[in-house]
């Protein structure tokens, strides 16, 4: 699939509403972090990355689409694992530099098979 543009270049054309695209504050790689949260419990499931096209696909298909920085391609959560994220709502934070996607998660959200990407390594406090 297509790659992320080099730093300093405008984002590639996508179907994303130009008003939304104009608000986004992207990193040098053209990406914004996207937090997936279970819509009914508030559980934080994972962090992925989106460019304009991934956000457009997420908004229009109702399934979370991310940009894989390691594979340099789009991926729809659950297409290979069956652990889909059905989108319930999408919001930008106050700075428009992070996307919050509230989803109904089927199965594990983490590639390790854990329910969330934050289950396995809880750090101790007060030490």
């Amino acid at each position: 699939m297509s790659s992320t543009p080099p730093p300093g270049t405008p984002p590639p054309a996508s179907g994303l509403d130009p008003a939304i695209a104009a608000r986004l504050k992207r990193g040098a790689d053209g990406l914004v972090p996207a937090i997936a949260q279970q819509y009914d419990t508030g559980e934080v499931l994972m962090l992925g990355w989106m460019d304009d096209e991934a956000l457009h696909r997420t908004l229009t298909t109702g399934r979370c689409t991310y940009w894989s920085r390691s594979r340099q391609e789009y991926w729809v959560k659950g297409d290979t694992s069956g652990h889909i994220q059905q989108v319930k709502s999408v919001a930008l934070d106050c700075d428009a530099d992070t996307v919050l996607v509230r989803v109904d998660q089927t199965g594990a959200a983490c590639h390790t098979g854990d329910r969330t990407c934050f289950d396995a390594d809880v750090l101790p406090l007060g030490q």
Side-chain angles (χ1 to χ4, degrees), residues 5-10 27-30:
T9 60
D29 56 5

Side-chain angles (χ1 to χ4, degrees), residues 70-116:
S70 60
R71 294 187 311 267
Q72 294 291 293
E73 65 183 15
Y74 296 104
W75 59 279
V76 178
K77 182 68 175 167
D79 269 1
T80 56
S81 67
H83 299 165
I84 65 168
Q85 293 177 339
Q86 186 64 46
V87 176
K88 297 294 187 175
S89 68
V90 180
L92 297 177
D93 76 335
C94 59
D95 296 320
D97 63 0
T98 304
V99 176
L100 175 63
V101 187
R102 291 185 180 101
V103 301
D104 191 9
Q105 176 72 46
T106 300
C110 187
H111 71 280
T112 65
D114 285 338
R115 168 74 180 160
T116 84

